Amino acid sequence: MIKLFKLTLPLVACFLWIGLVSGGGESELEAQMSTLKQECKEMIKGTRYEGSKITYYSVRSSKQIKNIEVYTFLLDEYKFAISTKKCSVPLTIKIYDAAPDVKERILIREFKKAQGKNLKFSTSELNDLYQAKNPDADRLRNIHIEYAISSGKVANEGIVLVYGIES
């Protein structure tokens, strides 16, 4: 029993030390997303930071769609920054006025071949495009962003969205 304890104690200590040195559980992808989030915050410098949404996904052998919604309650100007630098497969980003289950939703803006880039846009741009497509519209109350992620080699990736209100 003592012999077994003497053999396993150094092994257990080694595993504990590796666990402590490896960063306490933060994965490499999460660290990269954190860096990209800071890049996006720099892109909207001069705004009051309101929030962010990080969309994690696994590239698969089939195309996939991810949807997020951002509320634009205030009449203020919102600035958005999206980083797709961690996307390795073709990506299309579409911005709509309504959720995917609304049949009459309007495509406001589209970014094709968006992978590996940083993108920036504002509510004033989106509202101008929206009112051109729907003259009866007042302004956007929220936006629905759709990420169309192509198939490819299996990998874990993510897309960062950061937004703020113009000060």
Side-chain angles (χ1 to χ4, degrees):
M1 180 78 164
I2 293 175
K3 207 177 211 182
L4 181 64
F5 181 73
K6 284 182 180 179
L7 289 174
T8 57
L9 185 60
L11 189 59
V12 169
C14 183
F15 283 126
L16 286 173
W17 182 80
I18 289 171
L20 289 172
V21 172
S22 68
E26 183 175 41
S27 74
E28 184 179 335
L29 179 60
E30 288 171 336
Q32 291 170 344
M33 293 295 106
S34 181
T35 300
L36 295 177
K37 182 177 173 181
Q38 289 305 314
E39 276 184 33
C40 287
K41 282 183 175 181
E42 283 297 312
M43 290 172 58
I44 62 166
K45 202 172 196 169
T47 66
R48 186 180 78 223
Y49 174 76
E50 283 293 306
S52 65
K53 295 187 180 201
I54 299 175
T55 303
Y56 292 97
Y57 61 91
S58 294
V59 177
R60 297 186 239 160
S61 59
S62 60
K63 183 179 176 179
Q64 56 187 308
I65 304 288
K66 300 284 184 183
N67 292 288
I68 61 171
E69 181 177 18
V70 179
Y71 295 98
T72 54
F73 293 115
L74 305 173
L75 295 173
D76 297 327
E77 173 82 7
Y78 283 80
K79 300 275 186 188
F80 299 89
I82 296 177
S83 180
T84 64
K85 286 187 172 180
K86 190 58 185 149
C87 299
S88 64
V89 296
L91 172 72
T92 300
I93 300 172
K94 296 179 180 180
I95 302 171
Y96 291 95
D97 68 331
D101 59 344
V102 177
K103 212 174 204 179
E104 302 83 28
R105 73 180 182 156
I106 297 172
L107 175 63
I108 301 167
R109 182 146 191 212
E110 180 175 24
F111 299 95
K112 293 182 179 181
K113 297 181 183 175
Q115 68 277 8
K117 300 177 184 174
N118 283 340
L119 308 164
K120 187 175 160 181
F121 56 93
S122 69
T123 51
S124 65
E125 296 170 38
L126 296 177
N127 278 319
D128 289 346
L129 293 167
Y130 182 54
Q131 289 169 345
K133 293 180 179 193
N134 185 7
D136 298 332
D138 178 28
R139 70 172 187 84
L140 292 163
R141 306 267 187 254
N142 53 19
I143 61 171
H144 296 264
I145 301 172
E146 178 182 283
Y147 302 127
I149 304 158
S150 295
S151 60
K153 183 180 173 188
V154 174
N156 292 325
E157 299 182 350
I159 301 168
V160 177
L161 168 71
V162 171
Y163 52 97
I165 296 175
E166 190 115 38
S167 309

